Amino acid sequence: MSFIPTDLLFYAFAIPAVLVTAISKTGFGGATGGLGVVLLAQAVSPAQAAAIMLPLLCFIDIFGVRAYWRTIDWALMKRMLPAACVGT
């Protein structure tokens, strides 16, 4: 069973939610990134809102990593990675 919403209410909340999340991921929105799921949860269930937003957030992060890939300090990354894995 696929989830393809057809009502305009979903899109009225989904489009601003994605835009707010994307803008906050660039650093301009401050801490407004959490509002995306809350905004989308006004049209669908909170579980569905999180399930919709998670792949979008991962997709946005791919472009962020790609943009800064050549500027990575690998020595610092080797020091931070074990703690990041334990923390995750």
Side-chain angles (χ1 to χ4, degrees), residues 1-16:
M1 181 186 330
S2 66
F3 174 72
I4 300 174
T6 57
D7 58 339
L8 291 175
L9 181 67
F10 171 79
Y11 292 105
F13 283 104
I15 292 170

Side-chain angles (χ1 to χ4, degrees), residues 61-62 64-81:
D61 286 342
I62 289 171
V65 168
R66 192 171 146 207
Y68 292 102
W69 187 257
R70 289 191 170 93
T71 63
I72 293 175
D73 181 0
W74 289 105
L76 181 61
M77 187 65 76
K78 287 179 186 176
R79 286 181 30 214
M80 289 181 5
L81 194 59

